[in-house]
Amino acid sequence: MIDYAVDADGIATITWNMADRSMNVLNDQSIPAFAEKVAAAIADKAVKGVIVTSAKPDFIAGADLAMLQQVRDAAGMFERGNAMRRMLRDIEKAGKPFVAAINGTALGGGYEICLACHHRIAADNPKAQIGLPEVLVGLLPGGGGTQRLPRMIGIQKALPLLLEGKKLAPQAALQMGLVDKVVPPDRLLAEARRWLVEEGAKNLVKPWDQRGFRIPGGNPHAPATAPVFVAGNAMLRERTFGNYPAPLAIMACVYEGCLVDIDTGLKIEARHFVRLCTTPEAKNMIRTLFFSMGEANKLAHRPKDVPVQKYSRVGILGAGMMGAGIAHVTAQAGIEVVLLDTSLEQAEKGKAYSQGLLDRRVQQKRTSPEERDELLARIRPTTDFADLAGCELVIEAVFEDRAIKADVTRRAEAVLAPTAIFASNTSTLPISGLAEASARPENFIGLHFFSPVERMQLVEIIRGRQTSDATLARAMDYVKKIRKTPIVVNDSRGFYTSRVFGTYVSEGLAMLGEGVAPALIENAGRMAGMPVGPLALADEVSLELMHRVRRQTMKDLGDAYRPAPGDRVLELMVEKGRIGKKAAKGFYEYPAGDKKRLWPGLAELFPLAGEQPAVAEVIERLMYVQSVETARCIEEKVVTDPREADVGSVLGWGFAPARGGTVSQIHSVGLASFIAGCERLAQKHGGRFAPPKLLREMAARGESFYAI
Ligand code: NAI
């Protein structure tokens, strides 16, 4: 697991090399094994200096999150962490120099080992990432990161890195002072050795162990740093509404810890760390953003035995907002794109969208002009269906109209190879129905992208009644190729994401209709951790579109249509011509050059009720309605894996990440109390809150969605 060798010159090399894993991680096996080698190197008088490095392509990926997710006992965890803390202090005070030879990615605990070393040299590997990203999964760097980094580079530079969890390439890490030197990969070990021999002896005492040490830029009370905490706290509150304990704890660690000596500071950090480990927020974020998303990206549900599909050419029908975005991300993945619209001008306009995105990147020096030109050369605008010949996949993103979609399906299939697959990006029309236009319904599937395509990570893959396993597997291969995260759902009205996301918006509309103050509704949404309030979202989506979809649904379902609670509000608003943001008139007004504000006319249209609900009650309604609808989706087998429901909700419509997603919310509230809450809400507000049988049965059997 950890190799150890001492050469004739007294240079010891400790090499991380965990046999059973693709990446080195810190866990209950590797930490003691590493500590043992560190102790041996310190004890051995013949050893003059020590290199810490890795035999794998990367250095150390960080702590084993599976281990941290299981922590329930903060006191026990504190004890376990002592050994690691002591070991890192032993390195610092060894009386012989330690150098970190960072050959690849060094994150979290992996980088914290580097921080304890006396010198850090990184290989110039542009793929390597260096940093302390713990905050992104609800944790903080618990191996001294919040103490050593500010003491090394100053509080002002360290805090944003810790709070945003930024990962830097070696050159950027050098600029920020995270590493001391960057060298070509083949010179890494030689340079480490040279430093130990020539400079090691001069650098044996860490600055913070020297008398009179001062933090660069000053301690937390210094005039330059104190405002960082004051403004930082306020900004954090404004952005997160206190939903994330981790950034707050990081600020506390840096503030409290940097006023005292390093050993006391490390103890302070450890206390905050173990507390965070036991929070539901950390468990939720680790579960959904790390494990469940990892599974989705690995295509865990891809039907086996289907050879991996390579894509060389993809056709996109409709070069509007969605088609243009899909063309862009496809070309970005190195695939030729045939971009078809009804006029060449429209098709060219779709390509111009890519040009705009790329020009901006070139300006920001994030893409070279050559790369831009190569990417653009891969997009061929056309109006001729014959140009689709040779495409392995065609995705239609034409108007949301059954007849038009059927027409383009037939015309595309006429020139495609029988093995090619055809995907619809429809947001509302059931896939099995659209597949009726296809001569090969087994090759027909839904690929539901989100807007703006280049920024939204999720693709919801919809399996129609006749979609074959091979088609599903090949569609998943495409999503992976364009580096997005797929979830797979079965066909149903609104699929999973639109259906559940719609309940959030409708609940907001319903409350408005009941006389709840619009500002209360909007603030409650944001306080719950949603990116925007439900009324603002309705404006973004466009009330007109929601109205149109509702009409279509009524027509399709006939007597089976169940009115949504916000239907009347929608009707009234559309009647008044307040159709949303694109008309600059919706629940909000959008004064030119100013921030949007709630439309004062709402007061007349929806008079306030005499008694207003507590904010907690509004939050509960807005959030529970999404989870209970998700449970229905699982019961109806629209969603087959709770982890995908979680990932889809967080990536698809920004469901509060600290709650871990729609299913994790049920799990962390506890199944029994979630059911009780739903029953209470159902009694007061209607059957849409009634807990489905699935939940009751699970509770009766003592089951839960997740083990941890
Ligand atoms: P859009 O109106 O911006 O673009 C549609 C494009 O299709 C236009 O450029 C139009 O000229 C072209 N078109 C129409 N008939 C055609 C035909 N017979 N042959 C070739 N091209 C034709 O619409 P948008 O927003 O891009 O939506 C497209 C599809 O994506 C719709 O099915 C929509 O429901 C779906 N969708 C939209 C999302 C959104 O946020 N706007 C999100 C996810 C899916």
Side-chain angles (χ1 to χ4, degrees):
M1 178 151 22
I2 315 278
D3 303 331
Y4 180 67
V6 186
D7 71 6
D9 303 328
I11 302 293
T13 306
I14 302 179
T15 308
W16 279 74
N17 191 11
M18 291 175 81
D20 51 342
R21 298 195 177 240
S22 60
M23 277 182 146
N24 296 313
V25 293
L26 300 169
N27 63 16
D28 287 338
Q29 287 79 46
S30 65
I31 296 172
F34 177 60
E36 192 189 302
K37 307 301 190 251
V38 167
I42 294 175
D44 185 348
K45 295 234 160 43
V47 171
K48 303 281 181 297
V50 185
I51 299 172
V52 181
T53 192
S54 145
K56 300 208 175 264
D58 286 308
F59 186 73
I60 302 171
D64 183 348
L65 288 175
M67 172 185 82
L68 293 181
Q69 205 194 7
Q70 279 164 24
V71 174
R72 287 187 193 284
D73 162 27
M77 184 65 194
F78 186 82
E79 287 307 318
R80 272 159 71 193
N82 270 338
M84 166 103 174
R85 272 187 295 286
R86 215 172 305 122
M87 182 241 309
L88 294 178
R89 280 302 273 156
D90 288 347
I91 290 178
E92 293 194 306
K93 300 199 288 187
K96 51 182 88 172
F98 276 66
V99 57
I102 310 169
N103 54 312
T105 289
L107 293 174
Y111 177 63
E112 288 175 298
I113 290 179
C114 305
L115 279 173
C117 291
H118 302 89
H119 195 67
R120 285 149 295 278
I121 307 172
D124 197 2
N125 164 0
K127 283 208 184 125
Q129 298 183 310
I130 297 172
L132 297 168
E134 283 86 342
V135 70
L136 302 176
V137 286
L139 297 174
L140 61 78
T146 70
Q147 301 304 303
R148 292 190 176 96
L149 190 63
R151 281 171 170 82
M152 192 167 90
I153 65 173
I155 290 172
Q156 271 173 304
K157 274 163 89 180
L159 255 187
L161 290 172
L162 293 164
L163 290 173
E164 291 162 32
K166 270 210 186 118
K167 301 172 207 164
L168 304 175
Q171 290 293 351
L174 178 66
Q175 268 175 21
M176 285 296 287
L178 265 62
V179 298
D180 303 299
K181 195 162 188 181
V182 175
V183 299
D186 57 354
R187 283 201 20 232
L188 181 65
L189 290 178
E191 177 58 24
R193 169 181 293 272
R194 186 204 66 75
W195 186 86
L196 286 176
V197 172
E198 292 175 19
E199 297 175 58
K202 289 176 269 176
N203 291 282
L204 288 182
V205 185
K206 276 295 181 77
W208 40 90
D209 284 324
Q210 292 170 14
R211 234 170 218 284
F213 167 71
R214 298 175 85 112
I215 297 175
N219 78 8
H221 288 168
T225 35
V228 177
F229 290 97
V230 179
N233 248 320
M235 267 159 53
L236 188 66
R237 184 81 205 170
E238 186 195 22
R239 282 211 316 266
T240 67
F241 294 89
N243 286 319
Y244 295 88
L248 210 58
I250 288 172
M251 282 222 265
C253 284
V254 175
Y255 187 90
E256 295 161 15
C258 288
L259 288 171
V260 294
D261 64 278
I262 182 101
D263 286 301
T264 314
L266 291 170
K267 229 179 274 169
I268 291 172
E269 176 193 89
R271 294 219 163 89
H272 283 292
F273 177 69
V274 295
R275 178 175 59 79
L276 280 186
C277 284
T278 60
T279 58
E281 289 86 351
K283 302 216 182 296
N284 285 335
M285 289 167 83
I286 293 173
R287 182 190 310 116
T288 299
L289 301 177
F290 188 78
F291 288 111
S292 301
M293 204 159 111
E295 288 293 301
N297 286 334
K298 273 190 281 184
L299 310 186
H301 290 307
R302 184 186 186 279
K304 313 274 177 280
D305 310 325
V306 181
V308 173
Q309 171 77 52
K310 296 245 185 314
Y311 286 95
S312 59
R313 206 158 192 236
V314 168
I316 294 164
L317 312 182
M321 185 168 98
M322 297 304 289
I326 301 169
H328 178 76
V329 297
T330 305
Q332 202 170 38
I335 303 169
E336 301 281 328
V337 174
V338 180
L339 183 58
L340 182 148
D341 209 300
T342 43
S343 72
L344 200 57
E345 198 191 340
Q346 283 290 341
E348 299 274 4
K349 218 169 109 193
K351 179 170 175 173
Y353 180 74
S354 262
Q355 172 103 42
L357 289 176
L358 290 163
D359 285 348
R360 226 167 304 139
R361 285 185 69 90
V362 170
Q363 241 170 31
Q364 298 162 341
K365 299 211 180 331
R366 290 164 68 199
T367 299
S368 71
E370 296 75 34
E371 275 175 292
R372 171 195 57 197
D373 297 344
E374 272 170 35
L375 193 156
L376 287 172
R378 284 197 283 273
I379 304 180
R380 178 146 57 103
T382 185
T383 56
D384 187 356
F385 278 79
D387 288 341
L388 296 173
C391 287
E392 292 103 2
L393 162 72
V394 168
I395 305 170
E396 72 77 11
V398 300
F399 297 138
E400 189 78 341
D401 178 299
R402 280 209 181 88
I404 299 178
K405 287 191 188 297
D407 178 53
V408 299
T409 305
R410 284 188 210 106
R411 291 167 69 177
E413 282 183 353
V415 296
L416 289 175
T419 49
I421 59 182
F422 189 96
S424 172
N425 178 48
T426 176
S427 45
T428 54
L429 303 168
I431 289 298
S432 310
L434 294 179
E436 282 166 18
S438 169
R440 311 188 272 267
E442 66 283 3
N443 289 11
F444 196 102
I445 196 160
L447 283 178
H448 181 204
F449 288 81
F450 295 77
S451 167
V453 177
E454 67 281 1
R455 284 220 306 272
M456 298 294 285
Q457 183 57 31
L458 187 74
V459 177
E460 183 177 31
I461 301 184
I462 302 115
R463 217 184 156 146
R465 252 197 316 276
Q466 301 190 56
T467 307
S468 69
D469 274 359
T471 300
L472 173 62
R474 291 155 69 200
M476 292 176 90
D477 294 337
Y478 165 74
V479 175
K480 182 171 180 177
K481 178 74 187 163
I482 58 168
R483 310 185 72 174
K484 299 224 177 266
T485 302
I487 62 166
V488 179
V489 309
N490 286 313
D491 201 9
S492 130
R493 193 163 290 276
F495 318 126
Y496 162 63
T497 55
S498 309
R499 172 169 164 185
V500 176
F501 157 79
T503 63
Y504 173 62
V505 177
S506 308
E507 200 59 28
L509 267 55
M511 285 194 248
L512 188 65
E514 291 165 24
V516 178
L520 175 54
I521 299 171
E522 292 296 87
N523 286 333
R526 299 195 50 221
M527 286 167 77
M530 299 298 288
V532 273
L535 305 180
L537 260 181
D539 270 9
E540 300 271 341
V541 174
S542 141
L543 280 75
E544 193 183 34
L545 178 68
M546 287 168 55
H547 192 246
R548 207 162 355 109
V549 171
R550 194 171 70 89
R551 280 281 159 86
Q552 180 72 49
T553 311
M554 281 167 84
K555 206 169 100 195
D556 291 351
L557 294 185
D559 291 344
Y561 179 77
R562 274 187 310 156
D567 280 0
R568 188 181 64 88
V569 172
L570 194 58
E571 200 79 41
L572 275 171
M573 291 294 283
V574 174
E575 257 171 40
K576 292 252 177 256
R578 300 206 65 96
I579 58 166
K581 186 174 173 184
K582 63 177 183 198
K585 273 163 64 175
F587 292 116
Y588 285 78
E589 48 187 19
Y590 299 82
D594 204 354
K595 280 211 291 204
K596 70 175 176 195
R597 48 178 177 249
L598 280 161
W599 175 48
L602 291 178
E604 214 175 295
L605 218 50
F606 309 106
L608 290 192
E611 202 179 318
Q612 292 291 312
V615 66
E617 211 181 316
V618 180
I619 291 179
E620 192 179 54
R621 276 180 74 174
L622 289 174
M623 300 311 280
Y624 272 39
V625 76
Q626 299 177 68
S627 288
V628 81
E629 190 69 19
T630 298
R632 272 178 219 122
C633 288
I634 295 176
E635 184 173 80
E636 293 166 23
K637 309 228 168 2
V638 172
V639 177
T640 54
D641 184 338
R643 296 174 300 180
E644 294 195 318
D646 274 341
V647 170
S649 63
V650 174
L651 297 187
W653 70 94
F655 186 92
R659 294 175 190 244
T662 47
V663 174
S664 280
Q665 172 168 261
I666 302 178
H667 182 69
S668 49
V669 168
L671 198 49
S673 51
F674 181 77
I675 292 173
C678 285
E679 281 168 345
R680 186 166 25 80
L681 289 167
Q683 242 175 22
K684 222 166 147 185
H685 304 292
R688 63 186 179 280
F689 285 102
K693 208 162 105 210
L694 169 86
L695 293 186
R696 292 183 196 284
E697 287 174 356
M698 282 179 70
R701 288 195 298 260
E703 291 174 5
S704 61
F705 285 108
Y706 296 113
I708 303 166

